[in-house]
Amino acid sequence: MTTVILVVMCLAVGALELYAGRRSKEQQQAFVRRIDELNAQVNKQNNVLVAVGEQLTAELSKVKRDTLPALDSRLRSQSDQVEELAALVHQAGEYLRAQAGRLQDLEKQRITLAALRRKLGEVETSVRSVTRAGTAAVEGKVDAALDRLADLERGGTEMLELQRTLTRTLEEVEDVVSELLQFTEGELDESVTAALTGRSAHADGAAVRATGRLWTRDGQLEDILIEMYERCVRAARLDIRFRTSDGADGPLPGTAEQRRYFLAGQHVEDLIGGFTALLISTGADLRHNGAGLARAGAGALPPGVEPPRAPEDEVALKALLRTLYESSGAVAQIGPLMAVRTRDELMCAVLTPPQSLELEYDDVFWDPAAATVRLRRLPSHQLWDLTGWAAAAP
């Protein structure tokens, strides 16, 4: 009986060992398969990393070959321009200091001449009180000396006025140079940023996108016209990057300066649509008034109810057009918008980019009569005659 039990136990142990060996072999095979899968994934990731590394190496080689040399040359050119402008500003500062010293010397000379004149007046009084006889020659000499002193004093005053005018001119030149320096430095920073980041430096619309011009035949209206013009520019959501001005003689002697503006903040297509809408609205006002309606809708409002307030850009544009109408001759340009005032007409037009480029270097911008002739060649949907509107405006 014991032998049977031992045999049975041996069989059971052998069966268990066979079962355990089979399970161990299956687990080993599963482990081997898992190892193979992980190895395949690692090889795949390794291949991807190798491809990415090769792509990065190619891009870095392209940057070193193309971008960095161009950036280096541009940085050198911009640095040379900045140094030249800085030297110009330094020379202007030294000249201003020298002129200030000369101005102080002239002031001292004027004071000395005034004191000498008073002294001679006292001498003349004392001489006349001593004797009246034989003093005609002395009085003549004293009068001649006084006249000479008066001439010298007038000449000193004229010199002082010339020195003040020169100082103001140099200050204006210094302001223009400072604006150019700021603009050049900003362009340099934006170029470096674009080269390093690979993104457009002017994605926010800060680049110079439009030009402007302003001139009037009436010098007395210049300050008011400049104020209305720059107000209209700001209302159109444009920024003035910098401004320049040519000689004050213009096309006719004695006229105001020819002012040029470099504007940014809006795309030209947006400006064309905005100014076209404003001129259509203004033309609609002209047709209503001309038809004798006299704004009948405004009179139909209930008592105590005010009409809706016009947008700021519309108010600013109409104020600029009315100011232009007060002049006997003027030209104003804001990007694609061009307004011309002759002695008889007030014309407005919205130019396309090719038309603006065609007239960019043409003197027609500074001649109202020639500009009106050129504008009349445009299609009718681009041209507005606002003479009647401006004449009927309150």
Side-chain angles (χ1 to χ4, degrees):
M1 186 66 176
T2 302
T3 302
V4 174
I5 293 173
L6 290 173
V7 171
V8 172
M9 290 179 65
C10 289
L11 291 174
V13 171
L16 289 174
E17 288 180 354
L18 289 174
Y19 178 75
R22 185 177 180 183
R23 290 296 303 273
S24 176
K25 185 176 182 181
E26 292 177 354
Q27 290 179 355
Q28 183 180 2
Q29 292 176 352
F31 182 74
V32 170
R33 286 194 301 272
R34 182 61 178 167
I35 291 298
D36 293 338
E37 293 176 357
L38 292 175
N39 190 18
Q41 291 181 1
V42 169
N43 291 332
K44 185 178 180 180
Q45 293 293 332
N46 187 25
N47 294 331
V48 172
L49 290 176
V50 169
V52 172
E54 292 176 352
Q55 184 178 359
L56 288 176
T57 302
E59 291 180 357
L60 287 175
S61 300
K62 184 178 179 181
V63 169
K64 290 180 181 179
R65 184 179 64 255
D66 300 333
T67 305
L68 291 180
L71 178 61
D72 184 61
S73 60
R74 187 169 182 179
L75 284 173
R76 288 196 185 96
S77 63
Q78 294 291 343
S79 300
D80 295 339
Q81 293 179 1
V82 170
E83 290 177 357
E84 292 176 0
L85 291 174
L88 181 60
V89 171
H90 182 69
Q91 293 177 1
E94 292 181 351
Y95 191 73
L96 283 174
R97 286 191 292 270
Q99 294 301 323
R102 292 186 62 186
L103 187 62
Q104 292 178 357
D105 294 339
L106 288 174
E107 289 284 355
K108 293 178 181 179
Q109 292 179 8
R110 188 179 66 83
I111 294 172
T112 303
L113 289 174
L116 182 58
R117 183 178 182 182
R118 288 195 300 270
K119 186 65 176 176
L120 287 176
E122 294 175 357
V123 170
E124 180 185 11
T125 303
S126 61
V127 169
R128 287 179 178 176
S129 62
V130 172
T131 179
R132 296 289 182 179
T135 59
V138 176
E139 289 180 353
K141 293 180 180 180
V142 171
D143 291 338
L146 290 175
D147 293 338
R148 179 59 177 167
L149 287 174
D151 294 338
L152 290 175
E153 188 174 0
R154 284 194 298 271
T157 304
E158 293 176 357
M159 287 295 295
L160 287 175
E161 187 62 26
L162 290 174
Q163 290 294 331
R164 294 190 183 98
T165 303
L166 179 60
T167 302
R168 287 195 299 269
T169 303
L170 289 175
E171 289 176 351
E172 293 175 358
V173 171
E174 187 175 6
D175 292 339
V176 172
V177 172
S178 299
E179 291 180 354
L180 287 174
L181 277 174
Q182 294 176 359
F183 177 75
T184 304
E185 291 174 356
E187 289 294 316
L188 180 59
D189 293 339
E190 290 168 355
S191 300
V192 173
T193 302
L196 296 178
T197 61
R199 295 189 298 269
S200 176
H202 301 312
D204 56 351
V208 174
R209 298 186 181 277
T211 58
R213 291 174 176 82
L214 183 64
W215 174 83
T216 178
R217 183 180 287 113
D218 299 327
Q220 297 179 351
L221 288 176
E222 183 180 12
D223 294 336
I224 299 175
L225 190 58
I226 291 173
E227 180 181 356
M228 294 295 102
Y229 178 87
E230 295 183 356
R231 175 189 173 191
C232 188
V233 169
R234 290 189 297 269
R237 299 185 299 278
L238 290 171
D239 298 325
I240 300 176
R241 294 302 299 271
F242 63 93
R243 59 180 69 84
T244 61
S245 59
D246 295 334
D249 290 336
L252 295 175
T255 56
E257 295 178 336
Q258 297 177 353
R259 295 180 173 270
R260 289 175 59 92
Y261 292 81
F262 296 85
L263 312 174
Q266 292 287 332
H267 291 279
V268 176
E269 293 79 8
D270 297 335
L271 292 174
I272 291 174
F275 286 132
T276 301
L278 292 177
L279 290 177
I280 289 174
S281 175
T282 305
D285 293 343
L286 174 62
R287 288 193 296 271
H288 293 166
N289 292 334
L293 298 179
R295 299 188 182 273
L301 292 175
V305 178
E306 297 181 356
R309 188 174 182 180
E312 178 62 23
D313 54 350
E314 181 180 353
V315 174
L317 177 60
K318 290 183 177 179
L320 174 62
L321 294 177
R322 292 190 183 100
T323 307
L324 288 172
Y325 183 78
E326 296 299 325
S327 173
S328 60
V331 177
Q333 181 202 7
I334 304 176
L337 174 66
M338 189 170 182
V340 180
R341 168 61 171 160
T342 63
R343 298 185 185 275
D344 302 320
E345 296 176 309
L346 175 61
M347 305 294 295
C348 292
V350 178
L351 307 177
T352 61
Q355 292 169 347
S356 299
L357 185 62
E358 180 183 357
L359 300 178
E360 178 67 25
Y361 299 103
D362 198 332
D363 290 335
V364 71
F365 281 109
W366 311 115
D367 189 352
T372 301
V373 173
R374 184 69 62 87
L375 293 181
R376 289 191 178 278
R377 302 175 186 173
L378 298 175
S380 59
H381 66 275
Q382 293 182 247
L383 187 64
W384 285 265
D385 186 351
L386 300 179
T387 309
W389 170 84

